[in-house]
Amino acid sequence: MSTKTTIPDFRVTPSIDQVGIEERVARFTSRSIKKESKMQGMKMVLSMIDLTTLEGKDTEGKVKQMCYKAAHLHDVIPGLPTVAAVCVYPSMVKTAKDALKGTGVKVASVSTAFPSGQSTHEIKISDTKFAVDNGADEIDMVISRGEFLKGNYKFVFDEIASIKQACGKARLKVIFETGELSTLDNIRKVSDIAMYAGADFIKTSTGKISPAATMPVTLVMLEAIRDYYYATGRMVGMKPAGGISTSKLALQYLIMVNETLGADWLSNEWFRFGASSLANDVLMQIAKQNTGVYQSSDYFSKD
Amino acid sequence: MSRIEIQKTYKIYIGGQFPRTESGRYYPLKNKKGDVMANICLCSRKDFRNAEVAARGAQAGWGSRAAFNRAQILYRIAEMLEGRKEQFISELILQGSTLAAAKIEVEVSIDRMVYYSGWCDKFQTIFSSVNPVASSHFNFSVPEPTGVVAIIADENTSLLGLVTAIAPVIAGGNTCIVLASESKPLCAVTFAEVLNSSDLPGGVVNILTGNSAELHEHFSNHMDVNAVIYYRNNKAEIKTIKENASLNVKRVFVYNKINISTEKAQSPYFIFDTQEIKTTWHPIENIGTAKAGY
């Protein structure tokens, strides 16, 4: 972060008009996208997916299988992109990195005692370094929600900044777990804190808590990114995660990004979907467009 | 003061809900004098798609219920039909039936539902077998539901055609999407209300109204449908359905030769048609010189 940027007082971040946000979101969901644009949109969605497996029961075999899927979404349909990245636990980073060699698919690793973030500073730093040393291109950290809700913003800011340092060249995504932050005002506040602390991406949720990503929450974060961009000139990426499982919904998110941040953000460098079941739904829709026939999940690989 | 009669709005039945067609299209249903009796939903491809998603979602739960519980629910449907007897009779008369014929149609429908209720936990026994094999395995075959069944019901009856089509399919643990009679659709909606108050989980039966010429294509080419049943006589539609079914090797049954008002239209073989046979090879220990038992 450049020293010229003045860090604002986070106690006075703008308050959010919840009714206004909901009405705006309702309008994103009423667009009609047809044929070619829809196909382009769906291919873009595929290229923005972080294919994710974050289970206690994950094994090397499961991760390898998912990595294969990441690079070969559905070979029956030619011309499909790969997904943007796979997202795994630090212990699986090496496996994923080896499996994805030469495919261009990035490896993202969660860290900082994901998903709760309840651990010591040293452990969080070494967790991050372990993932980076094993070859992770991206780090998805969780913030300390307890400290944030207590009002200890300095703690949250410093923690993000020190993890960013530990990341080195890896891009840092900061997960807020918005389902635990209760209000849109809090989400705006934590977005500002994370971006000023050096986040490359801000991300809604771990996927372990319901509600996960919702459109109103995402819109608040997108607006925070926009305001931060105007203030500092630095682009920050956005990653809604969890709960986005249909292509229709994913397209609505793209509309929201385009109309809030503009087309510059419409690439997998700046926008991602954290999802495990979204890919198959999009593939089924693409196959439907190609064949004219509604598809069955029986004919698509599970990841 | 004179009173304006409250007309019933006829909607469709998808996933336990009563939506209107997403297409916003309707067709007027007229009586013999040419007066409009009701506006009926003219369902579209997307309504069918939504119904299929609901049916697929409900299938695992319905298929894995205890057979006895399915029997109870089918019997409950019959009970609710009995309670609404008068309403069905008056709807049938509105659609051109005589009182005597209407009464018979409703009664046969109720009895047919009871008939299939009885078969719910019995057909498995008569269609299962223990098979002789020349190795140390206990080998047996049992019927299992095929999955989601798309049905184009009889055109000439309003209630009996629906019951005849739906009962054997759901008795076997399948879920279904049914296209009701286009010219006599009134009972379809009332029947959906009966289903909705009968402990039948939402999505097990989905009822659409509309035009077979438009919809048979979609009923038969959807890759996530496992069987199609057709009760009408249009040769061109039958041909298209058979061709489309080959896409994912759906089972196709054309029941256009049976007289649905007779007992010939009810049999456990109608249940069996939408079943798949699963055969299990269960290893058994070969003790001493004993051979496999069968």
Side-chain angles (χ1 to χ4, degrees):
Chain A
M1 201 173 61
S2 74
T3 47
K4 273 177 279 176
T5 313
T6 44
I7 293 169
D9 182 350
F10 295 121
R11 287 167 304 182
V12 291
T13 47
S15 60
I16 301 298
D17 169 10
Q18 182 159 359
V19 176
I21 289 285
E22 279 163 10
E23 285 186 2
R24 183 82 183 107
V25 163
R27 272 187 279 160
F28 293 129
T29 62
S30 62
R31 304 282 196 278
S32 174
I33 303 175
K34 298 294 183 198
K35 296 274 149 45
E36 288 81 14
S37 326
K38 193 172 168 188
M39 279 296 264
Q40 289 298 324
M42 287 192 298
K43 284 184 182 167
M44 184 181 273
V45 169
L46 286 179
S47 75
M48 288 171 166
I49 289 175
D50 281 5
L51 212 54
T52 304
T53 182
L54 295 169
E55 304 286 337
K57 64 181 181 196
D58 284 349
T59 57
E60 280 85 0
K62 161 92 205 231
V63 170
K64 277 183 201 160
Q65 196 175 315
M66 190 182 73
C67 289
Y68 187 83
K69 168 107 178 180
H72 302 265
L73 280 168
H74 194 59
D75 288 343
V76 179
I77 304 173
L80 290 180
T82 63
V83 300
V86 297
C87 187
V88 294
Y89 272 116
S91 57
M92 293 293 165
V93 167
K94 202 164 174 1
T95 310
K97 194 74 190 168
D98 291 343
L100 288 169
K101 206 164 273 171
T103 61
V105 179
K106 294 192 162 53
V107 177
S109 169
V110 295
S111 85
T112 67
F114 181 93
S116 71
Q118 297 283 19
S119 192
T120 63
H121 187 69
E122 292 70 34
I123 288 177
K124 290 181 182 182
I125 295 286
S126 66
D127 197 17
T128 308
K129 284 197 168 137
F130 175 78
V132 174
D133 291 345
N134 276 293
D137 304 295
E138 298 167 359
I139 296 294
D140 290 28
M141 71 169 285
V142 289
I143 62 158
S144 301
R145 281 87 77 189
E147 294 297 331
F148 175 79
L149 291 170
K150 276 196 300 195
N152 200 351
Y153 304 143
K154 186 172 178 305
F155 181 95
V156 177
F157 185 97
D158 290 347
E159 189 172 73
I160 296 171
S162 60
I163 298 291
K164 170 70 186 165
Q165 210 165 20
C167 281
K169 278 184 188 160
R171 291 178 90 197
L172 176 66
K173 305 193 196 106
V174 181
I175 305 171
F176 301 152
E177 196 62 296
T178 51
E180 290 184 340
L181 301 184
S182 6
T183 66
L184 294 180
D185 284 350
N186 277 344
I187 289 161
R188 170 65 196 229
K189 198 181 299 255
V190 75
S191 303
D192 288 344
I193 293 173
M195 288 186 292
Y196 279 98
D200 297 303
F201 259 89
I202 53 177
K203 173 174 168 184
T204 57
S205 336
T206 60
K208 303 288 180 196
I209 297 253
S210 184
T214 63
M215 289 189 76
V217 160
T218 307
L219 180 57
V220 168
M221 290 167 69
L222 290 172
E223 287 181 346
I225 292 173
R226 181 188 61 198
D227 293 348
Y228 177 80
Y229 176 71
Y230 283 146
T232 67
R234 187 172 80 95
M235 284 172 82
V236 173
M238 172 73 205
K239 177 176 172 185
I244 306 168
S245 57
T246 65
S247 43
K248 191 175 178 184
L249 188 56
L251 288 174
Q252 289 168 352
Y253 272 82
L254 290 189
I255 292 165
M256 183 160 69
V257 173
N258 188 38
E259 293 184 17
T260 311
L261 294 174
D264 287 351
W265 265 264
L266 284 182
S267 81
N268 62 16
E269 199 185 348
W270 301 111
F271 191 76
R272 297 283 179 82
F273 291 103
S276 43
S277 56
L278 173 62
N280 265 12
D281 191 73
V282 177
L283 290 171
M284 279 162 66
Q285 294 304 320
I286 290 177
K288 156 77 174 67
Q289 296 293 328
N290 286 345
T291 61
V293 170
Y294 284 116
Q295 300 295 308
S296 163
S297 58
D298 291 353
Y299 306 99
F300 290 81
S301 66
K302 300 194 177 88
D303 43 56
Chain B
M1 206 174 84
S2 70
R3 181 174 175 277
I4 299 172
E5 213 175 307
I6 304 295
Q7 295 283 340
K8 179 168 170 170
T9 307
Y10 287 89
K11 297 198 275 189
I12 54 179
Y13 187 52
I14 296 177
Q17 308 280 321
F18 291 92
R20 292 182 167 83
T21 167
E22 67 76 42
S23 67
R25 303 176 308 170
Y26 300 88
Y27 67 97
L29 186 69
K30 293 176 179 163
N31 63 13
K32 272 183 188 160
K33 280 190 271 171
D35 304 329
V36 174
M37 292 189 287
N39 284 314
I40 304 293
C41 292
L42 186 59
C43 286
S44 66
R45 167 177 66 88
K46 285 191 184 171
D47 290 316
F48 176 72
R49 192 264 315 264
N50 294 341
E52 197 286 330
V53 171
R56 176 59 67 194
Q59 203 280 320
W62 179 244
S64 61
R65 273 181 188 241
F68 179 64
N69 184 234
R70 286 204 297 271
Q72 288 175 309
I73 291 173
L74 261 69
Y75 193 82
R76 179 79 181 151
I77 297 173
E79 285 178 7
M80 302 304 283
L81 275 172
E82 186 81 38
R84 297 256 208 146
K85 214 167 152 182
E86 300 308 318
Q87 189 182 354
F88 281 110
I89 290 174
S90 64
E91 278 178 350
L92 287 171
I93 293 171
L94 267 180
Q95 295 173 105
S97 182
T98 63
L99 174 61
K103 203 156 171 276
I104 291 172
E105 181 173 342
V106 175
E107 282 170 357
V108 172
S109 300
I110 297 167
D111 293 350
R112 190 154 294 167
M113 196 52 94
V114 173
Y115 173 88
Y116 281 113
S117 159
W119 273 113
C120 279
D121 59 352
K122 297 173 189 70
F123 77 90
Q124 296 87 345
T125 316
I126 61 166
F127 294 125
S128 294
S129 62
V130 173
N131 314 313
V133 288
S135 63
S136 353
H137 290 89
F138 177 44
N139 184 293
F140 56 96
S141 301
V142 287
E144 288 190 342
T146 189
V148 173
V149 181
I151 305 169
I152 296 181
D154 179 39
E155 177 61 34
N156 304 317
T157 54
S158 192
L159 178 65
L160 184 57
L162 277 181
V163 171
T164 307
I166 292 170
V169 168
I170 63 173
N174 300 287
T175 56
C176 61
I177 308 117
V178 193
L179 180 66
S181 165
E182 186 180 0
S183 56
K184 296 177 177 176
L186 292 188
C187 293
V189 186
T190 311
F191 184 57
E193 289 164 8
V194 164
L195 297 176
N196 202 41
S197 49
S198 308
D199 308 327
L200 188 77
V204 173
V205 174
N206 304 277
I207 302 180
L208 307 180
T209 51
N211 182 254
S212 174
E214 177 189 348
L215 291 173
H216 74 281
E217 177 90 32
H218 310 300
F219 271 59
S220 53
N221 71 12
H222 197 306
M223 296 287 279
D224 208 22
V225 167
N226 303 100
V228 187
I229 303 178
Y230 187 80
Y231 281 87
R232 300 184 189 176
N233 267 318
N234 187 315
K235 287 215 174 72
E237 288 184 8
I238 293 171
K239 182 164 180 281
T240 311
I241 287 172
K242 285 183 173 169
E243 283 169 4
N244 285 345
S246 67
L247 275 176
N248 63 335
V249 210
K250 287 178 194 71
R251 296 188 181 279
V252 179
F253 300 96
V254 178
Y255 300 142
N256 57 355
K257 298 270 176 352
I258 53 167
N259 179 354
I260 64 160
S261 53
T262 67
E263 286 196 352
K264 286 247 165 69
Q266 60 187 43
S267 131
Y269 289 97
F270 288 113
I271 304 178
F272 188 57
D273 280 347
T274 52
Q275 299 290 305
E276 305 293 336
I277 293 295
K278 181 166 105 179
T279 294
T280 304
W281 295 71
H282 188 77
I284 50 171
E285 208 176 334
N286 212 342
I287 303 167
T289 57
K291 298 244 165 53
Y294 292 90

XYZ file of all heavy atoms in Angstrom, chain A residues 188-238:
386
model
N -20.178 -3.035 5.112
C -19.505 -1.909 4.468
C -18.220 -1.551 5.246
O -17.151 -1.348 4.665
C -20.459 -0.708 4.438
C -19.817 0.599 4.014
C -19.347 0.499 2.565
N -18.407 1.577 2.268
C -18.510 2.354 1.188
N -19.470 2.154 0.306
N -17.631 3.300 0.980
N -18.345 -1.544 6.557
C -17.220 -1.152 7.394
C -16.054 -2.139 7.228
O -14.909 -1.743 7.015
C -17.678 -1.125 8.850
C -16.763 -0.343 9.783
C -17.264 -0.375 11.219
C -18.624 0.237 11.422
N -18.674 1.535 12.045
N -16.372 -3.419 7.291
C -15.309 -4.418 7.221
C -14.704 -4.439 5.818
O -13.507 -4.697 5.656
C -15.809 -5.801 7.689
C -16.685 -6.448 6.647
C -14.640 -6.707 8.028
N -15.501 -4.116 4.794
C -14.958 -4.046 3.437
C -13.890 -2.961 3.363
O -12.808 -3.162 2.803
C -16.059 -3.725 2.424
O -17.093 -4.672 2.491
N -14.222 -1.797 3.939
C -13.260 -0.694 3.925
C -11.985 -1.074 4.676
O -10.873 -0.831 4.201
C -13.893 0.556 4.557
C -14.948 1.168 3.644
O -14.965 0.816 2.444
O -15.758 1.982 4.126
N -12.164 -1.681 5.852
C -10.989 -2.066 6.646
C -10.091 -2.998 5.836
O -8.880 -2.804 5.732
C -11.433 -2.763 7.957
C -12.147 -1.754 8.854
C -10.243 -3.379 8.677
C -12.768 -2.361 10.092
N -10.706 -4.021 5.217
C -9.917 -5.028 4.509
C -9.173 -4.418 3.321
O -8.001 -4.721 3.087
C -10.828 -6.155 4.035
N -9.856 -3.551 2.594
C -9.212 -2.994 1.399
C -8.060 -2.064 1.774
O -6.993 -2.120 1.168
C -10.255 -2.272 0.533
C -11.195 -3.258 -0.153
S -12.323 -2.491 -1.312
C -13.370 -1.558 -0.229
N -8.296 -1.242 2.795
C -7.194 -0.356 3.209
C -6.041 -1.146 3.829
O -4.899 -0.704 3.817
C -7.710 0.732 4.164
C -8.366 1.877 3.417
C -9.756 1.942 3.282
C -7.597 2.862 2.814
C -10.359 2.969 2.578
C -8.195 3.903 2.103
C -9.571 3.952 1.987
O -10.162 4.967 1.275
N -6.338 -2.332 4.358
C -5.278 -3.152 4.938
C -4.524 -3.952 3.886
O -3.559 -4.637 4.198
C -5.865 -4.094 5.990
N -4.991 -3.912 2.627
C -4.211 -4.527 1.565
C -4.848 -5.716 0.866
O -4.173 -6.399 0.092
N -6.133 -5.982 1.103
C -6.780 -7.119 0.447
C -6.768 -6.954 -1.068
O -6.967 -5.855 -1.580
C -8.223 -7.240 0.928
N -6.510 -8.078 -1.793
C -6.604 -8.051 -3.249
C -8.013 -8.405 -3.701
O -8.427 -8.081 -4.807
C -5.623 -9.048 -3.859
C -4.196 -8.669 -3.528
O -3.793 -7.544 -3.854
O -3.495 -9.494 -2.902
N -8.701 -9.146 -2.857
C -10.067 -9.591 -3.120
C -10.822 -9.477 -1.809
O -10.245 -9.713 -0.746
C -10.079 -11.079 -3.489
C -10.194 -11.363 -4.956
C -9.051 -11.464 -5.741
C -11.430 -11.579 -5.549
C -9.140 -11.758 -7.093
C -11.525 -11.866 -6.891
C -10.383 -11.959 -7.679
N -12.106 -9.141 -1.861
C -12.920 -9.351 -0.664
C -13.976 -10.399 -0.982
O -14.484 -10.465 -2.099
C -13.529 -8.038 -0.118
C -14.279 -7.276 -1.204
C -12.436 -7.162 0.487
C -14.956 -5.998 -0.694
N -14.258 -11.216 0.000
C -15.058 -12.420 -0.234
C -16.118 -12.526 0.850
O -15.839 -12.248 2.020
C -14.114 -13.624 -0.212
C -14.774 -14.987 -0.265
C -13.717 -16.093 -0.396
C -14.318 -17.466 -0.150
N -13.327 -18.550 -0.173
N -17.324 -12.925 0.465
C -18.440 -12.889 1.413
C -18.321 -13.915 2.536
O -18.405 -13.571 3.707
C -19.782 -13.145 0.702
O -19.696 -14.407 0.030
C -20.100 -12.043 -0.294
N -18.130 -15.204 2.147
C -18.414 -16.226 3.151
C -17.489 -17.423 3.042
O -16.824 -17.630 2.027
C -19.842 -16.750 2.987
O -20.657 -15.821 2.350
N -17.512 -18.215 4.078
C -16.751 -19.464 4.071
C -17.537 -20.577 3.393
O -16.970 -21.581 3.002
C -16.464 -19.932 5.503
O -17.718 -20.135 6.170
C -15.656 -18.914 6.268
N -18.850 -20.407 3.308
C -19.697 -21.502 2.835
C -20.123 -22.433 3.951
O -20.869 -23.383 3.727
N -19.642 -22.176 5.161
C -19.973 -23.048 6.289
C -21.135 -22.505 7.108
O -21.620 -23.158 8.018
C -18.759 -23.193 7.231
C -17.513 -23.722 6.565
C -17.656 -25.183 6.244
C -16.400 -25.710 5.580
N -16.647 -26.997 4.922
N -21.537 -21.271 6.827
C -22.569 -20.617 7.629
C -23.685 -20.173 6.698
O -23.427 -19.748 5.572
C -21.976 -19.373 8.343
C -20.880 -19.798 9.318
C -23.062 -18.550 8.998
C -21.251 -19.717 10.751
N -24.907 -20.276 7.149
C -26.025 -19.808 6.361
C -26.614 -18.569 7.058
O -26.765 -18.584 8.270
C -27.073 -20.918 6.259
O -28.102 -20.513 5.426
N -26.941 -17.494 6.370
C -26.833 -17.297 4.933
C -25.398 -17.074 4.478
O -24.621 -16.447 5.186
C -27.655 -16.031 4.704
C -27.552 -15.265 5.979
C -27.478 -16.309 7.054
N -25.089 -17.598 3.282
C -23.779 -17.342 2.685
C -23.912 -16.097 1.804
O -24.459 -15.103 2.253
C -23.330 -18.558 1.902
N -23.421 -16.173 0.572
C -23.488 -14.990 -0.296
C -24.933 -14.673 -0.652
O -25.692 -15.559 -1.040
C -22.687 -15.245 -1.570
N -25.311 -13.405 -0.522
C -26.609 -12.963 -1.024
C -26.352 -11.755 -1.909
O -25.292 -11.130 -1.828
C -27.562 -12.549 0.110
O -26.996 -11.425 0.787
C -27.777 -13.684 1.102
N -27.332 -11.416 -2.743
C -27.115 -10.286 -3.648
C -27.000 -8.948 -2.911
O -26.144 -8.138 -3.261
C -28.196 -10.261 -4.732
C -28.012 -11.402 -5.724
S -29.087 -11.302 -7.153
C -28.298 -10.016 -8.106
N -27.828 -8.677 -1.895
C -27.664 -7.392 -1.195
C -26.279 -7.241 -0.571
O -25.644 -6.181 -0.708
C -28.745 -7.443 -0.110
C -29.779 -8.359 -0.639
C -29.040 -9.395 -1.441
N -25.788 -8.291 0.073
C -24.467 -8.233 0.692
C -23.402 -7.968 -0.367
O -22.507 -7.143 -0.197
C -24.195 -9.566 1.434
C -22.717 -9.760 1.660
C -24.963 -9.597 2.744
N -23.524 -8.670 -1.494
C -22.546 -8.507 -2.559
C -22.581 -7.089 -3.120
O -21.532 -6.495 -3.398
C -22.808 -9.542 -3.670
O -22.862 -10.830 -3.067
C -21.716 -9.521 -4.719
N -23.794 -6.549 -3.252
C -23.899 -5.186 -3.785
C -23.220 -4.181 -2.852
O -22.505 -3.279 -3.310
C -25.372 -4.810 -3.990
C -25.612 -3.395 -4.551
C -24.903 -3.194 -5.882
C -27.098 -3.112 -4.708
N -23.418 -4.338 -1.549
C -22.766 -3.434 -0.592
C -21.253 -3.512 -0.752
O -20.544 -2.491 -0.774
C -23.188 -3.798 0.850
C -22.316 -3.070 1.864
C -24.651 -3.462 1.074
N -20.737 -4.733 -0.913
C -19.288 -4.897 -1.056
C -18.790 -4.305 -2.372
O -17.720 -3.694 -2.435
C -18.918 -6.375 -0.917
C -19.106 -6.873 0.521
S -19.063 -8.670 0.707
C -17.366 -9.035 0.360
N -19.586 -4.494 -3.441
C -19.194 -3.930 -4.738
C -19.143 -2.405 -4.668
O -18.244 -1.770 -5.219
C -20.179 -4.375 -5.828
C -20.146 -5.852 -6.222
C -21.309 -6.180 -7.155
C -18.832 -6.222 -6.887
N -20.098 -1.824 -3.962
C -20.105 -0.362 -3.838
C -18.910 0.115 -3.020
O -18.333 1.169 -3.298
C -21.431 0.110 -3.239
C -22.574 -0.009 -4.244
C -23.915 0.479 -3.712
O -24.039 0.663 -2.490
O -24.834 0.661 -4.536
N -18.539 -0.682 -2.027
C -17.354 -0.339 -1.238
C -16.107 -0.374 -2.123
O -15.243 0.504 -2.039
C -17.211 -1.300 -0.064
N -16.048 -1.395 -3.003
C -14.903 -1.497 -3.928
C -14.852 -0.286 -4.847
O -13.795 0.295 -5.086
C -15.010 -2.805 -4.767
C -14.807 -4.023 -3.874
C -13.992 -2.790 -5.897
C -15.051 -5.347 -4.578
N -16.020 0.111 -5.334
C -16.099 1.259 -6.235
C -15.598 2.529 -5.523
O -14.770 3.268 -6.056
C -17.543 1.451 -6.695
C -17.742 2.604 -7.664
C -19.220 2.845 -7.919
N -19.886 3.197 -6.666
C -21.208 3.134 -6.477
N -21.997 2.714 -7.443
N -21.740 3.475 -5.322
N -16.103 2.758 -4.306
C -15.699 3.967 -3.580
C -14.205 3.938 -3.270
O -13.525 4.961 -3.339
C -16.515 4.102 -2.281
C -17.983 4.360 -2.587
O -18.310 4.645 -3.758
O -18.811 4.254 -1.652
N -13.704 2.738 -2.937
C -12.271 2.614 -2.647
C -11.453 2.903 -3.905
O -10.417 3.564 -3.846
C -11.984 1.204 -2.130
C -10.516 0.930 -1.871
C -9.895 1.383 -0.705
C -9.750 0.219 -2.789
C -8.551 1.148 -0.470
C -8.403 -0.037 -2.568
C -7.807 0.442 -1.405
O -6.487 0.191 -1.172
N -11.968 2.433 -5.041
C -11.261 2.668 -6.305
C -11.205 4.169 -6.617
O -10.164 4.700 -7.016
C -11.952 1.902 -7.440
C -11.350 2.153 -8.797
C -10.099 1.639 -9.128
C -12.022 2.917 -9.748
C -9.532 1.874 -10.369
C -11.463 3.148 -10.993
C -10.217 2.634 -11.301
O -9.661 2.866 -12.530
N -12.324 4.835 -6.409
C -12.326 6.283 -6.646
C -11.365 7.000 -5.700
O -10.727 7.980 -6.065
C -13.740 6.853 -6.485
C -14.647 6.568 -7.673
C -16.010 6.348 -7.498
C -14.130 6.528 -8.968
C -16.840 6.082 -8.580
C -14.960 6.261 -10.049
C -16.309 6.037 -9.855
O -17.117 5.782 -10.922
N -11.264 6.517 -4.466
C -10.422 7.196 -3.476
C -8.935 6.933 -3.708
O -8.098 7.800 -3.479
C -10.827 6.779 -2.072
N -8.588 5.715 -4.157
C -7.170 5.334 -4.190
C -6.660 4.974 -5.577
O -5.455 4.890 -5.783
C -6.927 4.108 -3.297
O -7.608 2.992 -3.896
C -7.440 4.315 -1.889
N -7.559 4.660 -6.504
C -7.136 4.251 -7.837
C -6.717 2.792 -7.921
O -6.270 2.319 -8.955
N -6.893 2.020 -6.829
C -6.492 0.613 -6.847
C -7.732 -0.269 -7.019
O -8.738 -0.094 -6.334
C -5.790 0.254 -5.533
C -5.187 -1.151 -5.534
C -4.332 -1.387 -4.297
N -5.107 -1.704 -3.106
C -5.369 -2.954 -2.690
N -4.906 -3.983 -3.371
N -6.064 -3.159 -1.602
N -7.648 -1.237 -7.953
C -8.765 -2.167 -8.149
C -8.699 -3.290 -7.129
O -7.626 -3.827 -6.864
C -8.717 -2.767 -9.562
C -9.192 -1.824 -10.663
S -8.884 -2.501 -12.310
C -10.273 -3.613 -12.522
N -9.845 -3.656 -6.581
C -9.927 -4.790 -5.661
C -10.958 -5.756 -6.231
O -11.981 -5.327 -6.776
C -10.326 -4.321 -4.248
C -10.574 -5.512 -3.333
C -9.264 -3.420 -3.659
N -10.682 -7.045 -6.130
C -11.579 -8.058 -6.682
C -12.688 -8.425 -5.705
O -12.647 -8.087 -4.521
N -13.686 -9.124 -6.234
C -14.833 -9.523 -5.407
C -15.100 -11.005 -5.606
O -15.026 -11.512 -6.720
C -16.050 -8.696 -5.861
C -17.368 -9.132 -5.239
S -17.461 -8.664 -3.508
C -18.619 -9.888 -2.908
